[in-house]
Amino acid sequence: MTKSKSKSYVDFKYQVTVSFSESFLCESLFSQSAFVNRPALGILPPENFPDKLIESLLSIAPSGMTRVQTMACGSCSNENAFKTMFIWYRNKERGYANPSEQEVGTCMINQSPGCPDLSILSFMGAFHGRTLGCLATTHSKVIHKLDIPSFDWPIAPFPKLQYPLEEFVRENAQEEARCLEEVEDLIVKWRQKGKPVAGIVIEPIQAEGGDNHASPDFFIKLRNIARKHGCAFHVDEVQTGGGTTGKFWAHEHWGLDDPADVVSFSKKLLTGGYYHRDELQPDKPYRIFNTWMGDPSKNLFLSEVLNVIRRENLLEEVTRSGKALLQGLYALQTQYPHILSRARGQGTFCAIDACNDATRDSIMIKARNKGLFMGSCGEKTIRFRPTLVFKEYHVHQLLNILNDVLAEHK
Amino acid sequence: MTKSKSKSYVDFKYQVTVSFSESFLCESLFSQSAFVNRPALGILPPENFPDKLIESLLSIAPSGMTRVQTMACGSCSNENAFKTMFIWYRNKERGYANPSEQEVGTCMINQSPGCPDLSILSFMGAFHGRTLGCLATTHSKVIHKLDIPSFDWPIAPFPKLQYPLEEFVRENAQEEARCLEEVEDLIVKWRQKGKPVAGIVIEPIQAEGGDNHASPDFFIKLRNIARKHGCAFHVDEVQTGGGTTGKFWAHEHWGLDDPADVVSFSKKLLTGGYYHRDELQPDKPYRIFNTWMGDPSKNLFLSEVLNVIRRENLLEEVTRSGKALLQGLYALQTQYPHILSRARGQGTFCAIDACNDATRDSIMIKARNKGLFMGSCGEKTIRFRPTLVFKEYHVHQLLNILNDVLAEHK
């Protein structure tokens, strides 16, 4: 076994291609129990775990955030982020005093005030996961929601914008203003209902819901509305985080120093988890806890992935490929206006609509048979989610295949 | 690197000791992408994944269960098990017809009938996890519940038995009958409230809640009550599964061919997940789904753990050690009746109560300083959770240390 030999592993959809050298794996393997044990991270973390967090997750912490909590998957990340916001909100309401006897007594039997009637405001078309708390903020597809009990939490409209964004600035600003007004109305209404909004959760780009974008201005104003009403602001980067938008976090495109109170992640980060501001740290240990709280071996992989992203300037690569991809999609929708419309994207996180779902599905199958695997989202959207090593020549290959498929389309 | 060399890795609390040979790890490593990728198991499983499931999880499937769904952690396992029961229950109610337009429309906005007011019946003292759905069935400690919104679901009393069980058969049978009566009352009451009980969830031994046992007769009758009222019966073996009770699943002690509709697991199994009967298979794909749905590398570890359990007859070992441990605890509580009482256990899954929580904590700290690490649960309970390789001579070491600590106790 030569130490210099390396192998390349590719998981097309959910991971960048990384060359792990055998030496990295074998040395790590026998020097680290991470690969053969599943520690209970919250109580028995590996000795070097804080250092490993600094090398991996904390090296890419969003602006204003110094704390990170790992979790085993995206849903658990959002569930625990919601809990963090609820705990923070109630502690504010109580003036950081100890809970009352009544709270202590009622919480054990699921009743208010111990289990308070708090809510999380989400957006129509959102996807934040499928466990019961997350699912109450998910509004993308019937198959996700049907038959599962839910919470009476407020749901605001997400802006329905016209693309390309720069050609419809005035119309889109109006639509965004309408949605923001509705957000404030809902916050007031749910407070009056006795179910105050403890947090607002939103994706920087609604992914499952159909790759719906909004302007930085929309998010900046929403962040301010959250602050004004004392709600935590939770940016869910489970789909958008990790570099595909051309920045490591999609919210960096907003240009804020203080973009959020909580940022959750999973997928490309190889581990679930969430960052939060100091202020949201729970007041006592074990309030946010479970047996595994993630898996430290995945942090080691993430460190390697980050090394590759930095060494190979993959974010610049994504920005370059993304521009070429979006230009190509604009050209295709001009050429096939009866089939395609609404090309949009940030980095390589791109999408285009077909005229209906049957056409979308047919295009996808034909493209797959020619070697191009694309995803779907929303009602009739094709979404592009290439890995970070997707280069300009890959864009041309993609566009050629797509063009062939469209040319054949009746 | 010699292939025959082996290393031993121990994680005291959550895993059995296993000697992984370097050859196992290195060969698996380079033959299997499982160790360097995180596949989206639901859509892009490794080619050999079904075989690996047969070798690992399906080889230990509970009686009557041929299906298993892996998940990333214990909470996700229970959340998805609950969803499986809700989907099954509603399909029964609908007569397996397509959902109505009203259901399709209302589910997207969290409202009934699309998101129906169904409930899960749980027991006081139960612990089923900390995500919002699970937490509505957890009633063990304030710290788990406080400040988190919950569901109005029924909570039955769990029998408060006297130990040793065989000395209080009559009294315990009365207490169990009282609890079972309450279960039926609650099922009727919640149906009348318009929140029918879709499933009953229970631990074979309430662990976090204080190591509370019930008789096989109690569980057999409860299983029948579930059947009678059309509720699914979910046995949560997250803490009890994996062999520490002397059988691989604690519910095997009940002696039923058809012990449950759903059995969930995590911890010692190294991966989360749940088994279920054929009848509970969701009617459509993607109804139970997330990106990772577990981690196939953990199944490989489980296969090795199972090999060791079989080769070294560890379940017999646990039964033997467990008997010695429980006898020793009986002797200690006879010798120190002002300090200890209520020794109880199955296999090495044992516990004993201290006279109060301060004494419990003091005993635990003194024992730890002498090299004996014990856990706590309930209000004043010491719990024993040794690994599967805990042998009789370990029992004597444990009892000697505990005896020394108690002799010194004022």
Side-chain angles (χ1 to χ4, degrees):
Chain A
M1 193 182 284
T2 55
K3 293 225 165 185
S4 58
K5 201 176 140 198
S6 79
K7 288 199 176 187
S8 184
Y9 300 89
V10 187
D11 176 336
F12 178 79
K13 190 151 179 226
Y14 286 99
Q15 197 174 316
V16 302
T17 304
V18 181
S19 295
F20 286 110
S21 68
E22 289 187 359
S23 62
F24 160 73
L25 285 167
C26 270
E27 278 162 23
S28 300
L29 195 61
F30 297 111
S31 63
Q32 310 246 13
S33 70
F35 287 94
V36 287
N37 274 308
R38 272 209 97 152
L41 269 184
I43 49 168
L44 295 166
E47 203 180 348
N48 63 1
F49 188 60
D51 295 336
K52 292 295 163 191
L53 279 183
I54 289 168
E55 281 171 29
S56 59
L57 287 166
L58 288 172
S59 77
I60 44 164
S63 178
M65 296 192 187
T66 52
R67 293 177 187 263
V68 69
Q69 175 63 63
T70 55
M71 282 288 157
C73 74
S75 285
C76 282
S77 306
N78 282 341
E79 289 273 340
N80 281 283
F82 291 178
K83 286 176 63 174
T84 299
M85 297 193 288
F86 289 132
I87 291 170
W88 163 82
Y89 191 89
R90 282 295 295 144
N91 269 324
K92 266 199 313 171
E93 285 191 323
R94 262 198 298 268
Y96 302 92
N98 284 330
S100 67
E101 262 180 51
Q102 202 196 359
E103 285 177 299
V104 168
T106 52
C107 79
M108 296 295 272
I109 49 172
N110 297 11
Q111 288 177 11
S112 179
C115 295
D117 273 334
L118 296 176
S119 61
I120 302 284
L121 183 142
S122 57
F123 289 83
M124 210 59 206
F127 183 91
H128 300 292
R130 294 159 168 264
T131 46
L132 269 66
C134 293
L135 200 54
T137 62
T138 287
H139 319 281
S140 41
K141 291 202 183 98
V142 170
I143 202 86
H144 302 149
K145 300 274 292 177
L146 185 71
D147 298 340
I148 315 299
S150 196
F151 290 105
D152 175 26
W153 291 354
I155 310 160
F158 190 88
K160 288 190 197 301
L161 302 190
Q162 298 180 64
Y163 302 93
L165 296 177
E166 51 279 18
E167 287 181 22
F168 297 93
V169 173
R170 198 176 47 81
E171 296 87 338
N172 288 343
Q174 274 179 2
E175 167 65 359
E176 291 186 342
R178 179 187 75 87
C179 295
L180 291 169
E181 202 175 312
E182 184 74 12
V183 168
E184 288 213 68
D185 281 356
L186 288 168
I187 292 173
V188 172
K189 238 182 239 167
W190 254 254
R191 193 188 298 138
Q192 286 165 351
K193 263 191 178 194
K195 299 180 179 180
V197 175
I200 296 175
V201 64
I202 195 161
E203 298 153 278
I205 302 167
Q206 278 194 341
E208 289 298 307
D211 271 33
N212 305 318
H213 292 248
S215 73
D217 185 60
F218 172 79
F219 290 104
I220 292 166
K221 285 180 175 153
L222 185 65
R223 207 266 177 270
N224 285 335
I225 288 173
R227 205 182 268 117
K228 173 180 159 194
H229 290 275
C231 318
F233 189 57
H234 172 180
V235 177
D236 179 345
E237 294 247 20
V238 168
Q239 290 234 13
T240 49
T244 44
T245 69
K247 296 195 182 281
F248 199 86
W249 302 108
H251 70 249
E252 292 175 56
H253 292 282
W254 311 342
L256 291 176
D257 290 335
D258 180 26
D261 296 304
V262 179
V263 172
S264 56
F265 56 83
S266 195
K267 297 194 196 278
K268 280 195 187 301
L269 280 286
L270 297 166
T271 172
Y274 58 100
Y275 299 93
H276 60 80
R277 301 200 314 126
D278 278 1
E279 204 183 324
L280 273 84
Q281 179 71 7
D283 54 323
K284 289 196 179 67
Y286 293 100
R287 297 203 71 175
I288 298 294
F289 186 79
N290 63 49
T291 295
W292 288 326
M293 301 178 98
D295 177 352
S297 71
K298 306 305 180 201
N299 294 349
L300 299 178
F301 289 149
L302 176 61
S303 295
E304 275 303 291
V305 169
L306 295 175
N307 286 340
V308 175
I309 289 176
R310 286 164 187 144
R311 199 173 57 227
E312 300 187 10
N313 295 313
L314 291 184
L315 298 189
E316 289 171 32
E317 194 82 63
V318 165
T319 304
R320 201 161 36 235
S321 308
K323 270 186 193 146
L325 176 56
L326 193 56
Q327 287 309 319
L329 295 177
Y330 285 151
L332 284 177
Q333 77 184 9
T334 305
Q335 200 178 341
Y336 302 99
H338 54 298
I339 309 178
L340 297 178
S341 65
R342 301 179 80 241
R344 54 205 185 270
Q346 208 158 37
T348 55
F349 200 104
C350 287
I352 194 162
D353 281 6
C355 48
N356 56 50
D357 60 343
T359 303
R360 186 255 317 262
D361 296 348
S362 149
I363 291 170
M364 281 178 57
I365 289 167
K366 285 179 188 156
R368 192 199 58 192
N369 293 345
K370 291 178 191 281
L372 169 63
F373 180 60
M374 304 182 294
S376 66
C377 62
E379 281 170 24
K380 51 184 182 181
T381 300
I382 295 169
R383 62 174 162 182
F384 300 90
R385 296 290 189 272
T387 64
L388 299 184
V389 294
F390 186 74
K391 297 185 198 304
E392 272 191 271
Y393 71 85
H394 293 123
V395 175
H396 299 308
Q397 289 175 0
L398 181 156
L399 293 169
N400 285 341
I401 294 174
L402 201 50
N403 192 38
D404 288 350
V405 170
L406 292 163
E408 287 165 20
H409 191 80
K410 270 152 208 152
Chain B
M1 195 182 282
T2 55
K3 294 228 163 183
S4 60
K5 200 176 138 197
S6 78
K7 289 197 175 189
S8 183
Y9 301 90
V10 187
D11 177 333
F12 179 77
K13 192 153 175 231
Y14 287 99
Q15 198 173 315
V16 303
T17 304
V18 182
S19 295
F20 286 110
S21 67
E22 288 187 358
S23 62
F24 161 72
L25 284 166
C26 270
E27 278 163 21
S28 301
L29 195 61
F30 297 112
S31 63
Q32 309 247 10
S33 71
F35 287 95
V36 287
N37 273 309
R38 272 208 98 153
L41 269 184
I43 49 169
L44 295 166
E47 203 179 350
N48 63 1
F49 189 61
D51 295 334
K52 293 294 165 192
L53 279 182
I54 290 169
E55 282 170 29
S56 57
L57 287 165
L58 289 173
S59 77
I60 44 163
S63 177
M65 297 190 185
T66 52
R67 293 178 187 264
V68 69
Q69 175 62 64
T70 55
M71 282 288 158
C73 72
S75 285
C76 284
S77 306
N78 282 341
E79 289 274 339
N80 282 284
F82 291 178
K83 287 176 61 173
T84 299
M85 297 192 290
F86 289 133
I87 291 169
W88 163 81
Y89 192 89
R90 282 296 293 142
N91 270 325
K92 267 197 314 170
E93 285 192 323
R94 263 196 297 268
Y96 303 90
N98 284 330
S100 68
E101 260 181 52
Q102 202 195 359
E103 285 177 298
V104 168
T106 51
C107 78
M108 295 296 271
I109 49 171
N110 298 11
Q111 287 175 13
S112 180
C115 295
D117 274 333
L118 296 176
S119 61
I120 302 284
L121 183 141
S122 57
F123 289 83
M124 210 59 206
F127 183 92
H128 300 292
R130 293 159 167 265
T131 46
L132 268 66
C134 293
L135 201 54
T137 62
T138 287
H139 318 282
S140 42
K141 292 202 183 96
V142 170
I143 203 86
H144 302 149
K145 300 273 294 176
L146 186 71
D147 298 341
I148 315 300
S150 195
F151 290 105
D152 176 26
W153 290 354
I155 310 159
F158 190 88
K160 287 187 197 306
L161 302 190
Q162 297 180 63
Y163 302 93
L165 296 177
E166 51 279 17
E167 288 180 23
F168 297 94
V169 173
R170 197 176 47 83
E171 295 87 336
N172 288 342
Q174 274 180 3
E175 167 65 359
E176 291 185 341
R178 180 187 74 88
C179 295
L180 291 169
E181 202 175 311
E182 184 75 12
V183 167
E184 289 215 66
D185 282 356
L186 288 168
I187 292 173
V188 172
K189 238 182 237 167
W190 253 255
R191 192 187 301 138
Q192 286 166 350
K193 261 191 176 192
K195 300 180 180 180
V197 175
I200 297 176
V201 63
I202 196 161
E203 298 152 277
I205 302 169
Q206 279 196 339
E208 288 299 308
D211 270 33
N212 305 319
H213 293 249
S215 73
D217 185 61
F218 172 80
F219 290 104
I220 291 167
K221 286 179 175 154
L222 186 65
R223 208 264 176 273
N224 284 335
I225 288 174
R227 204 181 270 118
K228 172 180 160 192
H229 289 276
C231 319
F233 189 57
H234 171 181
V235 177
D236 177 347
E237 294 249 21
V238 169
Q239 290 233 12
T240 50
T244 46
T245 68
K247 295 195 183 283
F248 199 86
W249 303 108
H251 70 249
E252 292 175 55
H253 293 282
W254 310 341
L256 291 176
D257 289 336
D258 180 26
D261 297 303
V262 179
V263 172
S264 56
F265 56 83
S266 194
K267 299 195 194 279
K268 280 194 187 300
L269 280 286
L270 297 164
T271 172
Y274 58 100
Y275 300 94
H276 60 80
R277 300 198 314 126
D278 278 0
E279 203 184 324
L280 272 85
Q281 180 70 7
D283 54 324
K284 290 199 178 65
Y286 293 101
R287 298 202 70 176
I288 298 294
F289 186 79
N290 62 50
T291 295
W292 289 326
M293 302 180 97
D295 177 352
S297 71
K298 307 303 180 202
N299 294 350
L300 299 179
F301 288 149
L302 176 61
S303 294
E304 274 303 289
V305 169
L306 295 176
N307 286 342
V308 174
I309 289 175
R310 286 164 187 146
R311 199 171 58 226
E312 302 187 9
N313 294 314
L314 291 184
L315 299 188
E316 290 172 31
E317 194 83 62
V318 164
T319 304
R320 201 159 38 233
S321 308
K323 270 187 193 147
L325 176 57
L326 193 56
Q327 287 309 318
L329 294 177
Y330 285 151
L332 284 177
Q333 78 184 9
T334 305
Q335 200 179 343
Y336 303 99
H338 56 298
I339 309 179
L340 296 178
S341 64
R342 302 178 79 240
R344 55 205 184 270
Q346 208 158 38
T348 56
F349 199 104
C350 288
I352 195 163
D353 281 8
C355 47
N356 56 52
D357 60 342
T359 303
R360 186 257 315 264
D361 297 347
S362 150
I363 291 170
M364 281 178 56
I365 289 167
K366 285 178 186 156
R368 192 198 60 193
N369 293 346
K370 291 177 190 283
L372 170 62
F373 180 60
M374 304 181 294
S376 66
C377 63
E379 281 171 26
K380 52 185 183 180
T381 300
I382 295 168
R383 62 173 161 182
F384 300 89
R385 295 292 188 273
T387 63
L388 299 185
V389 293
F390 186 74
K391 297 185 196 303
E392 272 191 270
Y393 70 86
H394 293 124
V395 174
H396 299 308
Q397 288 174 359
L398 180 157
L399 292 169
N400 284 341
I401 294 175
L402 199 50
N403 192 39
D404 288 351
V405 170
L406 292 163
E408 287 166 20
H409 191 78
K410 273 151 207 153

